[in-house]
Amino acid sequence: MTTREAAIDAVSKYFDDGGFQAELADLVSVQTSSREEEHRDDLMRYQNVVMRQRFEDMGFSVEIHPNDVLDRAPFLVAKRIEDPALPTLFCYGHGDTVPGEEGRWSQDRDPWTLEIEQTASGERWFGRGTADNKAQHAINMQALRHVIGTRGRLGYNVTFLIEVAEEMGSAGLEEFCRTNRDLLAADLLIASDGPRFSTAGPDIKLGTRGGLNLRFRLEYREGGHHSGNWGGLLANPAIVLMHALTTLVSRAGEILHPGLKPARIKNSVRDALSKVTVTSGPDDPEINPWWGEPGLSGAEKVFGWNTFEVLSFITGDPEKTQNAVPPFAEAICQIRFVVDTDPDTFLPLIRQHLKDNGFDDITVEPARMSMLRASRLDPEHPAVAWAVKSIEQTTGKDVTVIPNAGGSLPNDIFLNIIGMPTLWVPHSYTGCSQHAPNEHVLPHLMKEGLEIMTGLFWDLGEGFP
């Protein structure tokens, strides 16, 4: 049979027979932590061996391009040209991960080994990179493979970009895409990253919030000094820095400076988010309703507003605490922001704010190599309704359209620099522990993701929206 149903049945059988589990185990075993220089060879192997082989087996041509900003993180561009006159689909994934955090996983799990376990909440597949992002781009690759295998062709061209520096803020990606606009030009992006907002039904996100990481540092002197002899005489940088941060964000998580948040939520966004209810799932932490911007719903706080987070705070030596006034304090903070604010104003605004409030000695600098900007596709774009129809046909479930994800991805580069409509169809869930020990995926979402993407990629062969 060469039907849509046959392709979905084939990919479903592939999952049930253990094919996807074996594929994901192979990908997880490559230790692609991009923040650690010692994994340079792993990043190179993921691109030039692991991914290259899989794309070439599907009839793609593959080129590895250097990254001029982060030389250990090259770009892979895989292309399948069935007819230059046909439209082109653009797909994206990232093969890098955050550090493995060996020794911190429950049950003494090895982060670089896919481990299948039955928990009180059901079956879980544990491993670093499972949710973020190896399972997700593997699903999309396998969906393309099963459409080709069933129909013998896609009916369109594909450009698939894999990067291995996303966990470094996609360092070098903007420069690469600006330089290679013609190479990467396409008519539609369909990609997968991040979680569904609910495991009960699929969703589509049309963009992302941006993310800016900042390092606040206050250093008064060299070395600590005995707190009995000098306490009360020497200014404590940790206390001063804590008070400085509370002039930017309240004890309830409300951003205090108006320049760091949007003036309002647009009516179209508010209307879309009125259909979204954010709740905690079985593996999620309990939501604190008192936290964040007053007067907003949970969905508006996550998808329609800015947030200011303190990600880490260090003073003295946390491993060997001494009875001494510490010489320095440092906080890594993050602003997640929507398209309605200009992130280029944040750093000068914060510096001026600290100066105006008597915190002149605190330095503030970017804490990552690059910033991921916010972006959002118009919900009225015809690709949105087309994708909703396709996914609902495959799953029989209602599809929730969310204006932008709460997290950050390089969507702005694809939407605004290369210039293509962007649809994100996530396959993970909010309790997946990405960026933490015990990262995992849910097998039933992986299977449904394979079926959803196979249906989408089949339908594209019938005509682009």
Side-chain angles (χ1 to χ4, degrees):
M1 295 187 294
T2 57
T3 65
R4 185 183 197 272
E5 292 72 22
I8 293 174
D9 286 346
V11 83
S12 180
K13 185 176 187 299
Y14 159 77
F15 182 90
D16 291 341
D17 290 346
F20 187 75
Q21 179 181 326
E23 171 73 355
L24 186 55
D26 284 346
L27 302 187
V28 168
S29 69
V30 187
Q31 301 183 25
T32 51
S33 171
S34 58
R35 298 179 188 173
E36 299 168 306
E37 171 66 29
E38 60 264 33
H39 291 295
R40 168 187 293 270
D41 289 346
D42 296 303
L43 296 171
M44 296 292 185
R45 183 162 68 89
Y46 195 84
Q47 297 287 62
N48 205 31
V49 178
V50 178
M51 288 290 103
R52 176 189 287 277
Q53 174 188 333
R54 284 159 171 77
F55 280 114
E56 289 179 346
D57 287 347
M58 289 195 293
F60 283 67
S61 62
V62 176
E63 292 182 347
I64 306 296
H65 298 264
N67 185 331
D68 294 335
V69 174
L70 189 67
D71 65 359
R72 67 174 176 270
F75 301 104
L76 178 146
V77 177
K79 282 183 168 287
R80 179 183 169 97
I81 307 298
E82 294 189 353
D83 184 339
L86 291 172
T88 298
L89 168 69
F90 188 95
C91 295
Y92 161 87
H94 69 90
D96 65 314
T97 71
V98 297
E101 298 183 279
E102 291 86 344
R104 297 185 58 200
W105 292 54
S106 302
Q107 313 299 322
D108 197 30
R109 297 184 184 105
D110 173 13
W112 307 109
T113 300
L114 186 69
E115 297 191 18
I116 314 300
E117 295 184 21
Q118 192 70 34
T119 72
S121 302
E123 187 173 281
R124 304 286 185 265
W125 294 6
F126 291 91
R128 177 59 81 221
T130 49
D132 189 17
N133 171 259
K134 291 178 178 179
Q136 305 223 38
H137 61 261
I139 284 172
N140 297 352
M141 292 167 66
Q142 289 298 328
L144 288 168
R145 184 170 73 84
H146 280 81
V147 172
I148 295 168
T150 302
R151 188 157 54 192
R153 59 183 177 84
L154 291 169
Y156 48 89
N157 306 314
V158 179
T159 298
F160 210 127
L161 171 67
I162 301 286
E163 69 157 320
V164 284
E166 194 271 349
E167 302 297 356
M168 296 284 288
S170 290
L173 181 62
E174 180 176 344
E175 293 83 351
F176 175 73
C177 290
R178 286 188 184 278
T179 302
N180 294 279
R181 274 199 191 95
D182 292 342
L183 174 71
L184 303 174
D187 299 281
L188 174 67
L189 175 145
I190 300 180
S192 302
D193 202 340
R196 294 181 176 191
F197 90 94
S198 170
T199 59
D203 64 61
I204 298 173
K205 298 182 176 72
L206 309 182
T208 64
R209 286 198 295 183
L212 173 63
N213 284 29
L214 298 170
R215 175 179 284 103
F216 290 70
R217 186 174 177 89
L218 178 58
E219 188 165 0
Y220 279 142
R221 60 192 69 89
E222 290 187 14
H225 293 269
H226 192 282
S227 58
N229 298 331
W230 292 97
L233 299 175
L234 297 182
N236 188 310
I239 294 173
V240 175
L241 182 55
M242 285 190 290
H243 280 274
L245 292 175
T246 59
T247 69
L248 293 169
V249 62
S250 77
R251 69 175 301 277
E254 177 188 358
I255 294 177
L256 298 177
H257 198 299
L260 298 180
K261 57 186 178 181
R264 63 183 182 88
I265 299 177
K266 292 181 179 178
N267 290 337
S268 59
V269 175
R270 193 179 291 276
D271 289 345
L273 294 179
S274 69
K275 304 177 181 66
V276 179
T277 301
V278 178
T279 59
S280 293
D283 295 319
D284 295 333
E286 183 178 348
I287 293 172
N288 301 121
W290 53 269
W291 184 262
E293 184 72 17
L296 300 186
S297 69
E300 289 168 345
K301 290 177 182 179
V302 175
F303 304 122
W305 205 249
N306 293 6
T307 59
F308 186 103
E309 304 290 349
V310 177
L311 304 182
S312 67
F313 194 106
I314 299 174
T315 190
D317 186 345
E319 299 299 323
K320 298 178 181 179
T321 302
Q322 303 292 333
N323 292 322
V325 178
F328 79 95
E330 181 175 288
I332 304 297
C333 300
Q334 181 184 73
I335 303 175
R336 297 278 188 178
F337 55 91
V338 295
V339 294
D340 308 298
T341 48
D342 180 2
D344 292 329
T345 66
F346 292 163
L347 188 55
L349 183 153
I350 289 171
R351 287 170 173 164
Q352 186 63 47
H353 171 83
L354 293 176
K355 181 179 180 181
D356 292 344
N357 284 271
F359 299 108
D360 308 58
D361 294 336
I362 297 174
T363 62
V364 189
E365 301 292 342
R368 299 182 76 173
M369 295 182 70
S370 59
M371 172 177 61
L372 296 173
R373 293 180 176 270
S375 59
R376 185 188 296 146
L377 177 67
D378 185 346
E380 298 300 317
H381 192 282
V384 179
W386 168 85
V388 168
K389 180 180 179 182
S390 173
I391 296 173
E392 289 182 345
Q393 180 183 349
T394 299
T395 64
K397 301 176 182 179
D398 291 337
V399 177
T400 302
V401 176
I402 299 175
N404 53 259
S408 302
L409 287 165
N411 190 67
D412 168 69
I413 296 171
F414 307 132
L415 178 65
N416 297 320
I417 294 178
I418 300 179
M420 65 184 85
T422 55
L423 303 176
W424 294 84
V425 186
H427 308 312
S428 184
Y429 82 117
T430 53
C432 67
S433 296
Q434 70 181 97
H435 291 198
N438 304 314
E439 180 181 351
H440 63 278
V441 290
L442 303 180
H444 75 276
L445 292 187
M446 299 300 97
K447 182 177 181 180
E448 186 170 71
L450 284 163
E451 294 168 347
I452 286 171
M453 302 311 292
T454 300
L456 279 169
F457 293 153
W458 182 279
D459 292 342
L460 275 180
E462 306 296 328
F464 266 51

